[in-house]
Amino acid sequence: MVELLLLAPEGAVESVTDALIDELGALSASVEDADADTDAERALFGEPGLPAPSGGWQRSRIVALFDDEQTATEAATLLLAQDWASDVALVAMRPVQEQDWVRLTQSQFSPVEISNGFWIVPSWHEVPAGAQRVIRLDPGLAFGTGTHPTTRMCLRWTARQAPALAARWTRVLDYGCGSGILAIGAALHGATRIDAVDIDPAAVESTRANAAANGVSLNAGLPDLASGRYPLVYANILATPLKLLAPLLSGHVAPGGHLVLAGILERQTDELKAAYAPWLTLDVADRDDGWVLMTGEMA
């Protein structure tokens, strides 16, 4: 197999991917932010009550997979000859080694120890000896497998605080639940009446499936499911939506309750403190590989 790597402006992405799949024989086409991991990186998100998100990135990297080099070459030649593709650039054409993709994917996900006795374990692995609390979770479409620092920090906070606070976690909100991993982790540490919400219906379904696989009871749905105040609110998203959501998230935290925020880079801590200052004081509770966990207690 051979893959084409193309660079395209936002306005051309849909036309390029449609042509690759529908007319030029591509087996697949994926679109990524060409400016990812740089200062120009731009998150795409949408939340209730906010303006509709942009349809794409200013510059996108498109990776198209083909059966063979001849098909890929012909596709690139025909594509770049189109008048509407004048701003599209061919970056590379390269062979893709045949692999057992299932085995390769599984090899990239090993059990993750969050704290002493608390593990995340893919279904194809044995539970480690000494594990007392285990989240069974396989990688899927929704964010949250336990390998990212933001997820680990949220789960570590849960494990550390549970001995003193779990009795008060009689309602929990996981806002932007992804795979549901934070909600499941809270349940395993004694939380009850958990609402897990996300703007992505696929994430909602993933959360329901993962909760069932772990024997956990929770309510999963779109953001309008969240109602009232909760003694514990999680939001592991990104700094920009967290700032925009400050009134909404703060409004869901019960007096004496805790707000746990992640998806924040170290350089963004002051921005988050300022955004939430009208409601509560945020402090850095944990650090991991350039990311921070920020928490606050509602007066």
Side-chain angles (χ1 to χ4, degrees):
M1 290 190 178
V2 174
E3 65 180 15
L4 287 181
L5 178 59
L6 302 158
L7 196 63
E10 180 178 345
V13 170
E14 185 173 358
S15 296
V16 170
T17 53
D18 284 350
L20 287 168
I21 296 294
D22 297 338
E23 302 173 22
L24 300 175
L27 302 174
S28 66
S30 61
V31 182
E32 307 165 355
D33 185 358
D35 297 312
D37 300 322
T38 73
D39 291 340
E41 181 177 5
R42 185 175 68 179
L44 301 181
F45 60 90
E47 292 293 343
L50 298 178
S54 171
W57 298 286
Q58 291 181 342
R59 299 190 320 138
S60 292
R61 181 186 300 109
I62 302 173
V63 181
L65 186 65
F66 292 87
D67 269 326
D68 52 59
E69 184 175 353
Q70 180 179 346
T71 307
T73 300
E74 292 174 354
T77 302
L78 290 169
L79 178 68
L80 298 178
Q82 306 305 309
D83 292 339
W84 52 263
S86 58
D87 293 329
V88 178
L90 175 62
V91 178
M93 181 187 303
R94 56 199 180 198
V96 178
Q97 288 186 337
E98 294 290 340
Q99 302 198 53
D100 183 336
W101 294 107
V102 172
R103 189 177 298 276
L104 176 63
T105 299
Q106 291 181 346
S107 71
Q108 295 171 346
F109 293 90
S110 298
V112 176
E113 186 175 23
I114 300 301
S115 63
N116 186 31
F118 181 25
W119 288 78
I120 302 167
V121 185
S123 61
W124 55 83
H125 277 281
E126 294 292 329
V127 174
Q132 299 168 354
R133 290 183 176 88
V134 175
I135 299 177
R136 283 289 198 177
L137 196 69
D138 294 342
L141 295 177
F143 177 81
T145 61
T147 59
H148 195 274
T150 60
T151 309
R152 291 199 304 266
M153 288 190 293
C154 289
L155 292 171
R156 275 203 301 264
W157 185 92
T158 300
R160 290 169 179 169
Q161 300 300 322
L165 298 178
R168 295 162 52 187
W169 295 344
T170 53
R171 292 193 79 206
V172 174
L173 174 62
D174 181 3
Y175 197 97
C177 57
S179 68
I181 190 171
L182 302 186
I184 294 168
L188 293 181
H189 284 85
T192 57
R193 297 174 63 201
I194 301 167
D195 291 336
V197 303
D198 203 290
I199 62 172
D200 183 359
V204 173
E205 291 305 316
S206 178
T207 293
R208 289 173 179 158
N210 289 329
N214 284 276
V216 164
S217 176
L218 54 76
N219 300 310
L222 299 176
D224 57 5
L225 174 69
S227 64
R229 293 178 175 264
Y230 301 78
L232 176 58
V233 176
Y234 297 101
N236 180 14
I237 316 176
L238 285 172
T240 298
L242 286 175
K243 288 188 291 184
L244 294 170
L245 289 167
L248 185 150
L249 293 174
S250 299
H252 280 309
V253 184
H258 288 85
L259 179 63
V260 179
L261 303 180
I264 307 161
L265 296 169
E266 288 196 51
R267 59 180 169 80
Q268 297 169 326
T269 55
D270 289 342
E271 300 173 32
L272 268 295
K273 286 181 179 180
Y276 284 81
W279 298 277
L280 46 72
T281 299
L282 287 180
D283 294 304
V284 175
D286 201 353
R287 289 181 169 83
D288 193 337
D289 196 24
W291 298 88
V292 296
L293 181 77
M294 303 191 75
T295 64
E297 183 174 354
M298 185 65 71

